[in-house]
Structures are given as structure tokens and as C-alpha cells.
Coordinates of all heavy atoms in Angstrom, one line a residue:
M1 N -166.5 -76.2 7.5 CA -166.1 -77.2 6.6 C -165.6 -76.7 5.3 O -166.3 -75.9 4.7 CB -167.2 -78.2 6.4 CG -166.9 -79.4 5.6 SD -168.0 -80.8 5.8 CE -169.7 -80.0 5.4
K2 N -164.5 -77.1 4.9 CA -164.0 -76.7 3.6 C -164.0 -77.8 2.6 O -163.9 -79.0 2.9 CB -162.5 -76.3 3.7 CG -162.3 -75.1 4.6 CD -160.8 -74.9 4.8 CE -160.5 -73.6 5.6 NZ -159.1 -73.4 5.8
T3 N -164.2 -77.5 1.4 CA -164.4 -78.5 0.4 C -163.3 -78.3 -0.7 O -163.0 -77.2 -1.2 CB -165.7 -78.5 -0.4 OG1 -166.7 -78.7 0.6 CG2 -165.9 -79.5 -1.4
C4 N -162.5 -79.4 -1.1 CA -161.4 -79.3 -2.0 C -162.0 -78.9 -3.4 O -163.0 -79.6 -3.9 CB -160.8 -80.6 -2.1 SG -159.5 -80.7 -3.3
N5 N -161.5 -77.9 -4.0 CA -161.9 -77.5 -5.4 C -161.5 -78.5 -6.5 O -162.2 -78.6 -7.5 CB -161.2 -76.2 -5.8 CG -161.8 -75.1 -5.0 OD1 -163.0 -75.1 -4.7 ND2 -161.0 -74.1 -4.7
K6 N -160.6 -79.4 -6.2 CA -160.1 -80.4 -7.1 C -160.8 -81.7 -7.1 O -161.4 -82.2 -8.1 CB -158.6 -80.6 -6.9 CG -157.9 -81.3 -8.1 CD -156.4 -81.3 -7.8 CE -155.6 -82.0 -8.9 NZ -154.2 -82.1 -8.6
C7 N -160.9 -82.3 -5.9 CA -161.5 -83.6 -5.8 C -162.8 -83.7 -5.1 O -163.5 -84.7 -5.0 CB -160.5 -84.6 -5.2 SG -160.3 -84.4 -3.4
G8 N -163.1 -82.6 -4.3 CA -164.4 -82.5 -3.7 C -164.4 -83.1 -2.3 O -165.4 -83.2 -1.6
A9 N -163.2 -83.6 -1.8 CA -163.1 -84.2 -0.5 C -163.3 -83.0 0.5 O -163.0 -81.8 0.3 CB -161.7 -84.7 -0.3
Q10 N -163.9 -83.4 1.7 CA -164.2 -82.3 2.7 C -163.3 -82.4 3.9 O -163.0 -83.6 4.3 CB -165.7 -82.4 3.1 CG -166.6 -82.1 1.9 CD -168.1 -82.3 2.3 OE1 -168.5 -83.1 3.1 NE2 -168.9 -81.5 1.6
S11 N -163.0 -81.3 4.3 CA -162.1 -81.2 5.6 C -163.0 -80.6 6.7 O -163.6 -79.6 6.4 CB -160.9 -80.4 5.3 OG -160.3 -80.2 6.6
Y12 N -163.0 -81.2 7.8 CA -163.8 -80.7 8.9 C -163.1 -79.8 9.8 O -163.7 -79.2 10.7 CB -164.5 -81.9 9.7 CG -165.4 -82.7 8.8 CD1 -164.9 -83.8 8.1 CD2 -166.7 -82.3 8.7 CE1 -165.7 -84.4 7.3 CE2 -167.6 -83.0 7.8 CZ -167.1 -84.1 7.1 OH -167.9 -84.8 6.3
R13 N -161.8 -79.7 9.7 CA -161.1 -78.8 10.6 C -160.9 -77.5 9.9 O -160.4 -77.4 8.7 CB -159.7 -79.5 10.8 CG -159.8 -80.5 11.8 CD -158.6 -81.4 11.9 NE -157.3 -80.9 11.5 CZ -156.3 -80.5 12.2 NH1 -156.4 -80.7 13.5 NH2 -155.2 -80.1 11.8
V14 N -161.1 -76.5 10.7 CA -161.0 -75.1 10.2 C -159.5 -74.8 9.8 O -159.2 -74.1 8.9 CB -161.5 -74.1 11.2 CG1 -161.5 -72.7 10.6 CG2 -162.8 -74.5 11.7
E15 N -158.6 -75.5 10.6 CA -157.1 -75.2 10.5 C -156.6 -75.8 9.2 O -155.5 -75.5 8.7 CB -156.3 -75.8 11.6 CG -156.7 -75.1 13.0 CD -158.0 -75.9 13.5 OE1 -158.4 -76.8 13.0 OE2 -158.4 -75.4 14.7
S16 N -157.3 -76.7 8.5 CA -156.8 -77.4 7.4 C -156.4 -76.5 6.3 O -157.2 -75.6 5.9 CB -157.8 -78.4 6.8 OG -158.2 -79.4 7.9
Q17 N -155.2 -76.7 5.7 CA -154.8 -75.8 4.6 C -154.7 -76.6 3.3 O -154.8 -76.1 2.2 CB -153.3 -75.4 4.9 CG -153.2 -74.6 6.2 CD -153.8 -73.2 6.0 OE1 -153.6 -72.6 5.0 NE2 -154.5 -72.7 7.1
F18 N -154.5 -78.0 3.4 CA -154.5 -78.7 2.2 C -155.4 -79.9 2.3 O -155.7 -80.5 3.3 CB -153.0 -79.2 2.0 CG -152.1 -78.2 1.8 CD1 -151.4 -77.6 2.9 CD2 -151.8 -77.6 0.5 CE1 -150.5 -76.6 2.7 CE2 -150.9 -76.6 0.4 CZ -150.2 -76.1 1.4
C19 N -155.8 -80.4 1.1 CA -156.7 -81.6 1.0 C -156.0 -82.8 1.5 O -154.9 -83.0 1.2 CB -157.1 -81.7 -0.5 SG -158.1 -83.2 -0.7
Q20 N -156.7 -83.6 2.3 CA -156.2 -84.8 2.8 C -156.0 -85.9 1.7 O -155.3 -86.8 1.8 CB -157.1 -85.4 3.9 CG -157.3 -84.5 5.0 CD -158.5 -85.0 5.9 OE1 -158.9 -86.1 5.9 NE2 -159.0 -84.0 6.7
K21 N -156.7 -85.7 0.7 CA -156.9 -86.8 -0.4 C -155.9 -86.5 -1.6 O -155.3 -87.5 -2.1 CB -158.2 -87.1 -0.9 CG -159.1 -87.7 0.2 CD -160.3 -88.3 -0.4 CE -161.1 -89.1 0.7 NZ -162.5 -89.4 0.4
C22 N -155.8 -85.3 -2.0 CA -155.1 -85.0 -3.2 C -154.0 -84.0 -3.1 O -153.3 -83.7 -4.0 CB -156.0 -84.6 -4.4 SG -156.8 -83.0 -4.2
G23 N -154.0 -83.3 -1.8 CA -152.9 -82.4 -1.6 C -153.2 -81.0 -2.1 O -152.3 -80.1 -2.0
E24 N -154.3 -80.8 -2.8 CA -154.7 -79.5 -3.3 C -154.8 -78.5 -2.2 O -155.3 -78.8 -1.1 CB -156.0 -79.5 -4.1 CG -156.4 -78.3 -4.8 CD -155.7 -78.0 -6.0 OE1 -154.8 -78.8 -6.4 OE2 -156.0 -77.0 -6.7
R25 N -154.4 -77.2 -2.4 CA -154.6 -76.3 -1.4 C -156.1 -75.9 -1.2 O -156.7 -75.7 -2.2 CB -153.9 -75.0 -1.8 CG -153.8 -74.0 -0.7 CD -152.8 -72.8 -0.9 NE -152.8 -72.0 0.3 CZ -152.0 -72.2 1.3 NH1 -151.1 -73.2 1.3 NH2 -152.0 -71.5 2.4
L26 N -156.5 -76.0 0.0 CA -158.0 -75.7 0.3 C -158.2 -74.2 0.2 O -157.3 -73.4 0.4 CB -158.3 -76.3 1.6 CG -158.3 -77.8 1.7 CD1 -158.4 -78.2 3.2 CD2 -159.4 -78.5 0.9
P27 N -159.5 -73.8 -0.1 CA -159.8 -72.4 -0.1 C -159.7 -71.8 1.3 O -159.8 -72.5 2.3 CB -161.3 -72.5 -0.5 CG -161.7 -73.9 -0.7 CD -160.6 -74.8 -0.4
E28 N -159.4 -70.5 1.3 CA -159.3 -69.8 2.6 C -160.5 -69.8 3.4 O -160.4 -69.9 4.6 CB -158.9 -68.3 2.2 CG -157.6 -68.1 1.5 CD -156.5 -67.9 2.5 OE1 -156.7 -67.4 3.6 OE2 -155.3 -68.4 2.1
V29 N -161.6 -69.9 2.8 CA -162.8 -69.8 3.5 C -163.7 -71.0 3.4 O -163.4 -71.8 2.4 CB -163.7 -68.5 3.1 CG1 -163.0 -67.2 3.5 CG2 -164.0 -68.6 1.6
D30 N -164.5 -71.2 4.3 CA -165.5 -72.4 4.2 C -166.4 -72.1 3.1 O -167.3 -71.2 3.0 CB -166.3 -72.3 5.5 CG -167.3 -73.4 5.6 OD1 -167.6 -74.0 4.6 OD2 -167.6 -73.9 6.7
N31 N -166.2 -72.9 2.0 CA -166.9 -72.7 0.8 C -168.3 -73.4 0.7 O -168.9 -73.5 -0.4 CB -166.1 -72.9 -0.5 CG -165.6 -74.3 -0.5 OD1 -165.8 -75.1 0.5 ND2 -164.8 -74.6 -1.5
N32 N -168.7 -73.9 1.9 CA -170.0 -74.6 1.9 C -171.0 -73.5 2.5 O -172.3 -73.8 2.4 CB -170.0 -75.8 2.8 CG -169.5 -77.0 2.0 OD1 -169.7 -77.1 0.8 ND2 -169.0 -77.9 2.6
L33 N -170.6 -72.5 3.0 CA -171.5 -71.5 3.5 C -171.9 -70.8 2.2 O -171.3 -70.7 1.2 CB -170.7 -70.4 4.3 CG -170.3 -71.0 5.8 CD1 -169.5 -69.9 6.3 CD2 -171.6 -71.2 6.6
P34 N -173.2 -70.1 2.3 CA -173.5 -69.2 1.2 C -172.4 -68.3 0.9 O -171.8 -67.7 1.8 CB -174.7 -68.5 1.7 CG -175.2 -69.3 2.9 CD -174.0 -70.0 3.4
K35 N -172.0 -68.1 -0.4 CA -170.8 -67.4 -0.6 C -171.0 -65.9 -0.4 O -171.9 -65.3 -1.0 CB -170.4 -67.6 -2.1 CG -169.0 -67.3 -2.4 CD -168.4 -68.1 -3.5 CE -167.0 -68.1 -3.5 NZ -166.4 -68.7 -4.8
Q36 N -170.0 -65.4 0.3 CA -170.0 -64.0 0.7 C -168.7 -63.3 0.3 O -167.7 -64.0 0.4 CB -170.3 -63.8 2.2 CG -171.6 -64.3 2.6 CD -171.8 -64.2 4.1 OE1 -170.9 -64.3 4.9 NE2 -173.0 -64.0 4.5
N37 N -168.8 -62.2 -0.3 CA -167.7 -61.5 -0.8 C -166.9 -60.8 0.4 O -167.1 -59.6 0.6 CB -168.0 -60.6 -1.9 CG -166.9 -60.2 -2.8 OD1 -165.9 -60.9 -2.9 ND2 -167.0 -59.1 -3.5
I38 N -165.9 -61.5 0.9 CA -165.2 -60.9 2.0 C -163.7 -60.8 1.6 O -163.2 -61.5 0.7 CB -165.4 -61.7 3.4 CG1 -164.8 -63.1 3.2 CG2 -166.8 -61.7 3.8 CD1 -164.7 -63.9 4.4
C39 N -162.9 -60.0 2.4 CA -161.5 -59.9 2.2 C -160.8 -61.3 2.5 O -161.2 -61.9 3.5 CB -160.9 -58.8 3.1 SG -159.2 -58.6 3.2
T40 N -159.8 -61.7 1.7 CA -159.2 -63.0 1.9 C -158.0 -62.9 2.9 O -157.4 -63.9 3.3 CB -158.8 -63.6 0.6 OG1 -157.9 -62.7 -0.1 CG2 -159.9 -64.0 -0.3
N41 N -157.6 -61.6 3.2 CA -156.5 -61.5 4.1 C -156.9 -61.8 5.6 O -157.6 -60.9 6.1 CB -156.0 -60.1 3.9 CG -154.7 -59.8 4.9 OD1 -154.3 -60.6 5.6 ND2 -154.2 -58.6 4.7
E42 N -156.4 -62.8 6.2 CA -156.9 -63.2 7.5 C -156.5 -62.2 8.6 O -157.0 -62.2 9.7 CB -156.4 -64.5 7.9 CG -157.0 -65.6 7.0 CD -156.4 -67.0 7.3 OE1 -155.6 -67.1 8.3 OE2 -156.8 -68.0 6.7
N43 N -155.5 -61.4 8.3 CA -155.0 -60.4 9.2 C -155.7 -59.0 9.1 O -155.5 -58.1 9.9 CB -153.5 -60.1 9.1 CG -152.7 -61.4 9.3 OD1 -153.1 -62.1 10.4 ND2 -151.8 -61.8 8.6
C44 N -156.6 -59.0 8.1 CA -157.3 -57.7 7.8 C -158.5 -57.5 8.8 O -159.2 -58.4 9.0 CB -157.7 -57.6 6.4 SG -158.7 -56.2 6.0
E45 N -158.7 -56.3 9.3 CA -159.8 -56.0 10.1 C -161.1 -56.4 9.5 O -162.1 -56.8 10.1 CB -159.7 -54.5 10.6 CG -158.8 -54.2 11.6 CD -158.8 -55.1 12.8 OE1 -159.9 -55.3 13.3 OE2 -157.8 -55.6 13.3
W46 N -161.2 -56.1 8.2 CA -162.5 -56.3 7.5 C -162.8 -57.9 7.4 O -163.9 -58.4 7.4 CB -162.4 -55.8 6.1 CG -162.7 -54.3 6.1 CD1 -161.8 -53.4 5.5 CD2 -163.6 -53.5 6.8 NE1 -162.3 -52.1 5.8 CE2 -163.4 -52.1 6.5 CE3 -164.8 -53.8 7.6 CZ2 -164.2 -51.1 7.0 CZ3 -165.6 -52.8 8.0 CH2 -165.3 -51.5 7.8
H47 N -161.6 -58.7 7.2 CA -161.8 -60.1 7.2 C -162.2 -60.5 8.6 O -163.2 -61.4 8.7 CB -160.4 -60.8 6.8 CG -160.5 -62.3 7.0 ND1 -160.7 -63.0 5.7 CD2 -160.4 -63.1 8.0 CE1 -160.8 -64.3 6.1 NE2 -160.5 -64.4 7.5
K48 N -161.7 -60.1 9.6 CA -162.0 -60.5 11.0 C -163.5 -60.2 11.2 O -164.2 -60.9 12.0 CB -161.1 -59.9 12.0 CG -159.7 -60.5 12.0 CD -158.8 -59.7 12.9 CE -157.4 -60.1 12.7 NZ -156.4 -59.1 13.4
S49 N -163.9 -58.9 10.8 CA -165.3 -58.6 11.1 C -166.2 -59.1 10.0 O -167.5 -58.9 10.2 CB -165.4 -57.1 11.1 OG -165.1 -56.5 9.9
K50 N -165.7 -59.9 9.1 CA -166.6 -60.5 8.1 C -167.4 -59.5 7.3 O -168.6 -59.7 7.0 CB -167.5 -61.6 8.7 CG -166.7 -62.8 9.3 CD -166.5 -63.8 8.2 CE -165.9 -65.1 8.8 NZ -164.5 -65.0 9.0
F51 N -166.8 -58.4 7.1 CA -167.5 -57.4 6.3 C -167.7 -57.9 4.9 O -166.8 -58.4 4.2 CB -166.6 -56.1 6.2 CG -167.2 -55.0 5.4 CD1 -168.2 -54.2 5.9 CD2 -166.8 -54.8 4.1 CE1 -168.8 -53.2 5.1 CE2 -167.4 -53.8 3.3 CZ -168.4 -53.0 3.9
I52 N -168.9 -57.8 4.5 CA -169.3 -58.2 3.1 C -169.2 -57.2 2.1 O -170.0 -56.2 2.1 CB -170.7 -58.9 3.2 CG1 -170.7 -60.1 4.2 CG2 -171.1 -59.5 1.8 CD1 -172.1 -60.6 4.5
Y53 N -168.4 -57.4 1.1 CA -168.3 -56.4 0.0 C -169.4 -56.6 -1.1 O -169.9 -57.8 -1.1 CB -167.0 -56.5 -0.7 CG -165.8 -55.9 0.1 CD1 -165.0 -56.7 0.9 CD2 -165.7 -54.6 0.1 CE1 -164.0 -56.1 1.6 CE2 -164.6 -53.9 0.8 CZ -163.9 -54.7 1.6 OH -162.9 -54.1 2.3
P54 N -169.8 -55.7 -1.8 CA -170.7 -56.0 -2.9 C -170.1 -56.9 -3.9 O -168.9 -57.2 -3.9 CB -170.9 -54.5 -3.6 CG -170.2 -53.5 -2.6 CD -169.3 -54.3 -1.7
D55 N -171.0 -57.5 -4.7 CA -170.6 -58.6 -5.7 C -169.5 -58.0 -6.7 O -168.7 -58.9 -7.1 CB -171.8 -59.0 -6.5 CG -172.7 -59.9 -5.6 OD1 -172.4 -60.2 -4.4 OD2 -173.8 -60.4 -6.1
D56 N -169.5 -56.8 -7.0 CA -168.6 -56.3 -8.0 C -167.3 -55.8 -7.4 O -166.4 -55.4 -8.1 CB -169.2 -55.2 -8.8 CG -169.7 -54.0 -7.9 OD1 -169.6 -54.1 -6.8 OD2 -170.0 -53.0 -8.6
A57 N -167.1 -55.9 -6.1 CA -165.8 -55.5 -5.4 C -164.8 -56.7 -5.5 O -165.1 -57.9 -5.2 CB -166.1 -55.2 -4.0
R58 N -163.7 -56.3 -6.1 CA -162.7 -57.5 -6.4 C -161.6 -57.3 -5.4 O -160.8 -58.4 -5.2 CB -162.1 -57.2 -7.8 CG -163.1 -57.1 -8.9 CD -164.0 -58.3 -9.0 NE -163.4 -59.4 -9.6 CZ -164.0 -60.6 -9.7 NH1 -165.3 -60.8 -9.3 NH2 -163.4 -61.6 -10.3
F59 N -161.4 -56.2 -4.8 CA -160.3 -56.0 -3.8 C -160.8 -55.4 -2.6 O -161.6 -54.4 -2.6 CB -159.1 -55.2 -4.4 CG -158.5 -56.1 -5.5 CD1 -158.8 -55.9 -6.9 CD2 -157.4 -57.0 -5.3 CE1 -158.3 -56.6 -7.8 CE2 -156.9 -57.7 -6.3 CZ -157.3 -57.5 -7.6
C60 N -160.1 -55.7 -1.5 CA -160.4 -55.0 -0.1 C -159.9 -53.6 -0.3 O -158.8 -53.3 -0.7 CB -159.7 -55.7 0.9 SG -159.8 -55.0 2.6
D61 N -160.8 -52.7 0.2 CA -160.4 -51.2 0.1 C -159.5 -50.8 1.2 O -159.0 -49.7 1.3 CB -161.5 -50.4 -0.1 CG -162.6 -50.5 1.1 OD1 -162.3 -51.4 2.0 OD2 -163.4 -49.6 1.2
V62 N -159.3 -51.7 2.3 CA -158.5 -51.4 3.4 C -157.0 -52.0 3.3 O -156.0 -51.2 3.4 CB -159.1 -51.9 4.7 CG1 -158.2 -51.8 5.9 CG2 -160.4 -51.2 4.9
C63 N -156.9 -53.2 2.8 CA -155.6 -53.8 2.8 C -155.2 -54.2 1.3 O -154.0 -54.5 1.1 CB -155.5 -55.1 3.6 SG -156.5 -56.5 2.9
G64 N -156.0 -54.1 0.4 CA -155.7 -54.3 -1.1 C -155.6 -55.7 -1.5 O -155.3 -56.1 -2.6
S65 N -156.1 -56.7 -0.6 CA -156.0 -58.1 -0.9 C -157.3 -58.4 -1.7 O -158.3 -57.7 -1.6 CB -156.1 -58.9 0.4 OG -154.9 -58.8 1.2
P66 N -157.1 -59.5 -2.5 CA -158.3 -59.8 -3.3 C -159.5 -60.3 -2.4 O -159.3 -60.8 -1.3 CB -157.9 -61.1 -4.1 CG -156.3 -61.0 -4.0 CD -156.0 -60.3 -2.8
T67 N -160.7 -60.0 -2.8 CA -161.9 -60.5 -2.1 C -162.1 -62.0 -2.6 O -161.5 -62.4 -3.5 CB -163.1 -59.6 -2.4 OG1 -163.5 -59.9 -3.7 CG2 -162.9 -58.2 -2.0
V68 N -163.0 -62.6 -1.9 CA -163.3 -64.0 -2.2 C -163.8 -64.1 -3.7 O -163.4 -65.1 -4.3 CB -164.5 -64.5 -1.3 CG1 -165.1 -65.8 -1.8 CG2 -163.9 -64.7 0.1
Y69 N -164.5 -63.1 -4.2 CA -165.0 -63.2 -5.5 C -163.9 -63.1 -6.6 O -163.9 -63.6 -7.6 CB -166.1 -62.2 -5.8 CG -167.4 -62.6 -5.2 CD1 -167.6 -63.6 -4.3 CD2 -168.6 -62.0 -5.7 CE1 -168.8 -63.9 -3.7 CE2 -169.8 -62.3 -5.1 CZ -170.0 -63.3 -4.2 OH -171.2 -63.6 -3.7
A70 N -162.8 -62.3 -6.2 CA -161.7 -62.1 -7.1 C -160.9 -63.3 -7.2 O -160.3 -63.7 -8.3 CB -160.9 -60.9 -6.6
V71 N -160.8 -64.1 -6.1 CA -159.9 -65.3 -6.0 C -160.6 -66.5 -6.8 O -160.0 -67.2 -7.6 CB -159.7 -65.7 -4.6 CG1 -159.0 -67.1 -4.6 CG2 -158.8 -64.6 -4.0
S72 N -161.9 -66.6 -6.7 CA -162.6 -67.8 -7.3 C -162.9 -67.5 -8.7 O -162.8 -66.5 -9.2 CB -163.8 -68.1 -6.5 OG -164.7 -67.0 -6.4
Ligands
LIG101 ZN1 -158.7 -82.9 -3.0
LIG102 ZN1 -158.7 -56.5 3.7

């Protein structure tokens, strides 16, 4: 489940990209889970394996994409 950062509406579909109520782009990851610092690049091996970076890691060391903590 993803939650809209703007209006708080929830989307139950993993495929959802935008909020049904306000059109805001939804976060890449399910932000109702305990927040884990993972790579935001869906094509990255570390993203797929849900490798968790330390809290101070801002970028994936494999693909260079921002981590969840860098985006938020
Ligand atoms: Zn919204
Ligand atoms: Zn990556």
C-alpha cells in the first residue's frame, strides 16, 4: 500500500504511480512499511534484492541512483 505524500490518500495497488484523489506522484516504495533505505532504481539488482543501506547512505553504490532516504 502506498500513501500519497500530499493528501494522504492510500492506493492499494502496487502498480499505482499517481494518487487517485489529487494526482500527486506516489512514492516509489510502499511507505507504510517500516522505512528501509533501499535503492530507488527498480531495475537495479540491489533494489530487487531489497538490500538495505545504512541510514547515512544517500546513493546506491552499484547504479548511482538515490536511495529512499536521499529522495525523502
Ligand atoms: Zn493525493
Ligand atoms: Zn541501485
Side-chain angles (χ1 to χ4, degrees):
M1 183 162 53
K2 295 174 173 180
T3 304
C4 175
N5 287 325
K6 194 172 177 186
C7 75
Q10 292 178 330
S11 170
Y12 295 90
R13 284 165 25 109
V14 188
E15 300 84 6
S16 299
Q17 300 289 318
F18 296 93
C19 177
Q20 299 166 22
K21 292 196 173 167
C22 72
E24 182 79 357
R25 188 169 187 88
L26 292 170
E28 295 271 327
V29 293
D30 184 335
N31 56 3
N32 278 332
L33 289 172
K35 203 154 192 187
Q36 295 176 326
N37 200 19
I38 61 171
C39 175
T40 56
N41 179 358
E42 289 177 8
N43 297 316
C44 176
E45 285 305 316
W46 287 127
H47 176 93
K48 290 175 189 165
S49 64
K50 295 272 187 283
F51 177 80
I52 300 168
Y53 284 98
D55 286 358
D56 60 352
R58 311 301 284 180
F59 294 92
C60 174
D61 60 348
V62 173
C63 72
S65 296
T67 65
V68 169
Y69 281 19
V71 171
S72 56

